[in-house]
Amino acid sequence: GALFVPLGGAAVAVAAWGLAEFFTRRRRMALPSILLLLAFVGGVAGSMVGFAVEFEPDLSESAAGLFGAGVAALAAAAAWAHWRRFRVPITVAAGAAALVAVAVALVVAAAPDAGERLALPMMLAGGLFLFALAMRWDRSDRERLTRRSDVAFWLHLAAAPLIAHALFQSLGVPDGRIGSGAALLVIGLYALFALVALAIDRRALLVSSLAYVLYALQRLFADSGSVEASVALTALVIGSALLTLSAFWHPIRRTVVARLPRETQGWLPVLERPAMA
């Protein structure tokens, strides 16, 4: 990279692919496979960014959007090539996230002045796209016995923060400018996320939303006059709720799924999975 900036990322990508031939394809080691996939895709994208740094660092907003779309598209192609060779479950999520980035970058290139206004809707749309893709993979392995279930796990993990942040950011939670009404709405959304998490048997939405609902509850207790005890009360309420969900996840999930239409149940993971030998 010191000799020629784009070579830095390219060297990382080549090294990551070579190491994956041993650690992923031969040894089937999970954590090295994940890190090497991220290093490969990041190296490919970094090589393209290096070209911009080397030749044209001062791009206009439209040009930067188009260039960003090209970088994201190349990252998605790199993820697809890696998937064809190594079949690491996180690869599909990485490629899908890159495609979302392509769409966002193209919107920014087409309407640079509206980029900030459209940021949250685009984030929410990207999260819903990833969620729908995750449900498609989940439906293909409702008993969760194959690698397809692992692919769905990583897609859910990528979708959840996009959905949660877009919704709660639109309510003003990260900026600390919510009142009691908005705090109650945040708690209601978290309850809805809990029902969705139970139905699909994935906890990513709950984890991604936790910080927002903690803040909303604290605001509610503080507004009601319990300023000094607001943190303790918040911890007690959320801790009790999460502990209850943890201890009785399967019975609660059985109750939730039983009340859904049969067509919807056909999309969801089975309630009783076969024992693994």
Side-chain angles (χ1 to χ4, degrees):
L3 298 175
F4 183 57
V5 177
L7 286 180
V12 170
V14 170
W17 186 284
L19 289 169
E21 290 289 346
F22 177 75
F23 288 105
T24 302
R25 193 168 175 82
R26 291 182 57 186
R27 296 290 300 278
R28 300 291 179 186
M29 297 174 72
L31 182 57
S33 298
I34 293 170
L35 296 177
L36 290 170
L37 172 273
L38 296 176
F40 174 71
V41 175
V44 171
S47 180
M48 286 295 295
V49 172
F51 276 106
V53 172
E54 186 75 22
F55 296 110
E56 190 58 55
D58 298 320
L59 295 172
S60 65
E61 288 192 28
S62 296
L66 286 174
F67 183 77
V71 171
L74 188 62
W80 178 81
H82 200 279
W83 170 257
R84 296 280 296 177
R85 178 67 174 171
F86 301 108
R87 302 281 175 173
V88 180
I90 192 178
T91 310
V92 178
L99 290 177
V100 170
V102 171
V104 171
L106 288 176
V107 171
V108 171
D113 296 334
E116 187 173 346
R117 179 169 48 85
L118 296 175
L120 292 180
M122 288 189 295
M123 187 182 298
L124 180 60
L128 292 174
F129 164 72
L130 292 175
F131 181 82
L133 192 59
M135 291 303 301
R136 184 178 180 85
W137 280 87
D138 256 340
R139 192 188 184 193
S140 68
D141 182 18
R142 295 180 61 225
E143 296 179 344
R144 294 193 174 166
L145 299 175
T146 70
R147 183 182 294 161
R148 292 191 295 273
S149 174
D150 296 331
V151 171
F153 166 81
W154 289 107
L155 284 166
H156 279 295
L157 207 61
L162 294 176
I163 295 172
H165 186 73
L167 289 175
F168 293 125
Q169 176 77 40
S170 65
L171 293 175
V173 180
D175 302 329
R177 51 183 173 84
I178 64 170
S180 299
L184 286 172
L185 185 55
V186 169
I187 295 169
L189 277 174
Y190 193 73
L192 178 62
F193 284 172
L195 291 175
V196 173
L198 285 162
I200 65 176
D201 200 14
R202 298 286 188 188
R203 294 162 176 80
L205 271 174
L206 289 177
V207 175
S208 297
S209 310
L210 187 56
Y212 299 106
V213 77
L214 284 171
Y215 176 76
L217 263 180
Q218 187 179 346
R219 290 297 308 164
L220 270 181
F221 287 129
D223 291 346
S224 66
S226 305
V227 178
E228 295 181 357
S230 61
V231 175
L233 287 171
T234 300
L236 176 65
V237 172
I238 291 297
S240 301
L242 293 179
L243 187 62
T244 302
L245 273 179
S246 239
F248 303 104
W249 181 270
H250 294 293
I252 297 174
R253 179 171 185 263
R254 196 175 295 113
T255 303
V256 170
V257 173
R259 283 163 172 72
L260 296 174
R262 288 195 175 275
E263 294 78 10
T264 304
Q265 293 181 28
W267 277 82
L268 302 175
V270 295
L271 291 171
E272 303 296 336
R273 297 176 201 157
M276 294 291 289

